[in-house]
Amino acid sequence: MKAQGYHVAIVGATGAVGTQMLAILEQRQFPIEKLTLLSSARSAGQSLTFKGKEIIIQEAAPEKFSGVDIALFSAGGSVSKELAPAAVKHGAIVIDNTSAFRMEEGVPLVVPEVNEADLVQHKGIIANPNCSTIQMVAALEPIRQALGLKKVVVSTYQAVSGAGINAIDEMKEQSRTILNGGEAEARILPVKGADRHYPIAFNAVPQIDNFDGNGFTFEEMKMINETKKIMHMPKLKVSATCVRLPVETGHSESVYIEVDESGKTAADIQQLLKQAPGVVLQDSPDEQLYPMPSTAAGKLEVFVGRVRKDLDEENGFHMWIVSDNLLKGAAWNSVQIAESLVKLKLV
């Protein structure tokens, strides 16, 4: 490790994920000698506080990465496509929170609890997976290691914060309007700029991102393809249905899996989850104890409950997985990757 720490840059520093990255870097006492905050021209000149000091935000540009050791990107795929290669040319290791590079060959797609070892293969860019993928694979990996894994079927119940701060504001506005007897207007969800929008307040919208040509949405395809890549299981059977709910923070998932080993019980699964890094088991039906977005928000861990054996399939199990989509689903996993780079002496 460098004697005084590292030069770290955050691209998209004023966004919902960028501000969380800043907070976690301070909370975790990441070894930083210099911090550069980058954003769009609109936010340049503003300032954010880090360890009691005001840091002026600069407009993101290729030359701003000179001398940077680690660059955390969370400013949208187009910005990453434009600036990440430039950052690498200047010697930085890029940890990208967008979908820009996730499925590119040679770019590690990393959840440290699952495939930290893949970091040694990086060529300058490391991809942070989709938020809903991260929490699922973190919970499934200890089961896969011990019992094998042959099938995953997931239905997500995703928070509005995953669509950005404007979507949160619209949900609150719609809620007030409906409670006052009015008719809610929709401008953002399910996809900004689409031909048709729906209110999210008091609703459930079974579309996140645009539809692919196969009937699945791009969000669903991200979960399918990313899970296979992270787990190094290209033939794993994965299916996903992604739904947006009027929850501000915290994604929930109902997950059905089939394992290779027979004769296992729910208690066997629970024991594996109890020992899993980054996972908290909250599973006591008698006490009505199970994970919820309201209790997971603001926490770094992945929470699992409602573990039960399928009634018809001998090797089938069900579970409920919840995590803060802005933390473990984005900012914390990115910082965690940076911590792994330091631990493995890759930076």
Side-chain angles (χ1 to χ4, degrees), residues 147-170:
L147 307 178
L149 189 64
K150 58 184 179 182
K151 187 175 186 179
V152 179
V153 180
V154 56
S155 294
T156 72
Y157 308 79
Q158 295 181 221
V160 173
S161 56
I165 187 66
N166 291 333
I168 295 175
D169 292 340
E170 182 168 277

Side-chain angles (χ1 to χ4, degrees), residues 75 80 92 110 149 154 164 174 187 201 212 258 271 274 279 291 322 338 342:
S80 293
V110 176
L149 189 64
V154 56
Q174 290 170 353
R187 301 176 297 276
D212 202 348
E258 291 179 9
Q271 187 59 36
K274 282 180 185 178
V279 174
V322 181
V342 172

Side-chain angles (χ1 to χ4, degrees), residues 73-338:
F73 273 68
S74 191
S78 60
V79 174
S80 293
K81 283 285 191 183
E82 178 186 356
L83 293 179
V88 172
K89 284 183 179 180
H90 278 90
I93 298 175
V94 170
I95 302 171
D96 183 49
N97 192 54
T98 76
S99 61
F101 304 102
R102 287 176 187 159
M103 297 311 298
E104 280 197 13
E105 192 170 344
V107 175
L109 183 65
V110 176
V111 177
E113 295 90 344
V114 180
N115 62 330
E116 183 183 63
D118 287 356
L119 290 173
V120 301
Q121 303 168 8
H122 86 79
K123 299 173 183 176
I125 297 177
I126 300 158
N128 200 57
N130 179 271
C131 47
S132 47
T133 305
I134 289 173
Q135 66 188 66
M136 185 175 75
V137 297
L140 296 188
E141 177 61 11
I143 301 169
R144 185 199 69 80
Q145 286 185 14
L147 307 178
L149 189 64
K150 58 184 179 182
K151 187 175 186 179
V152 179
V153 180
V154 56
S155 294
T156 72
Y157 308 79
Q158 295 181 221
V160 173
S161 56
I165 187 66
N166 291 333
I168 295 175
D169 292 340
E170 182 168 277
M171 176 185 71
K172 293 178 178 179
E173 178 186 334
Q174 290 170 353
S175 299
R176 286 190 292 266
T177 299
I178 292 171
L179 289 170
N180 288 323
E183 186 172 341
E185 292 185 11
R187 301 176 297 276
I188 296 175
L189 296 174
V191 181
K192 191 173 182 180
D195 294 333
R196 180 177 294 176
H197 296 101
Y198 298 108
I200 188 60
F202 303 98
N203 199 14
V205 180
Q207 179 188 352
I208 299 177
D209 210 329
N210 291 304
F211 281 97
D212 202 348
N214 58 7
F216 287 78
T217 65
F218 287 115
E219 181 81 358
E220 291 158 354
M221 292 308 302
K222 288 174 191 175
M223 291 197 73
I224 292 167
N225 294 325
E226 291 176 20
T227 298
K228 296 178 181 184
K229 180 175 179 178
I230 293 165
M231 290 186 159
H232 301 286
M233 297 183 72
K235 295 184 179 180
L236 179 65
K237 295 179 180 178
V238 186
S239 185
T241 300
C242 295
V243 181
R244 188 80 71 188
L245 290 187
V247 171
E248 183 169 335
T249 302
H251 288 354
S252 303
E253 299 172 348
S254 172
V255 180
Y256 168 78
I257 63 170
E258 291 179 9
V259 299
D260 292 328
E261 285 201 30
S262 299
K264 298 302 177 180
T265 66
D268 294 323
I269 301 292
Q270 290 168 326
Q271 187 59 36
L272 291 169
L273 292 166
K274 282 180 185 178
Q275 301 167 351
V279 174
V280 176
L281 182 69
Q282 292 182 333
D283 196 4
S284 180
D286 292 342
E287 301 173 283
Q288 294 178 250
L289 178 64
Y290 34 71
M292 295 179 291
S294 60
T295 53
K299 297 182 174 66
L300 303 182
E301 298 86 358
V302 173
F303 298 86
V304 186
R306 297 294 316 279
V307 178
R308 58 207 187 275
K309 192 179 178 83
D310 189 77
L311 298 178
D312 297 308
E313 174 56 52
E314 167 63 25
N315 291 9
F317 294 89
H318 301 264
M319 66 191 70
W320 178 251
I321 304 172
V322 181
S323 190
D324 187 317
N325 55 295
L326 298 180
L327 294 179
K328 182 54 181 169
W332 165 228
N333 200 73
S334 295
V335 174
Q336 204 175 1
I337 290 171

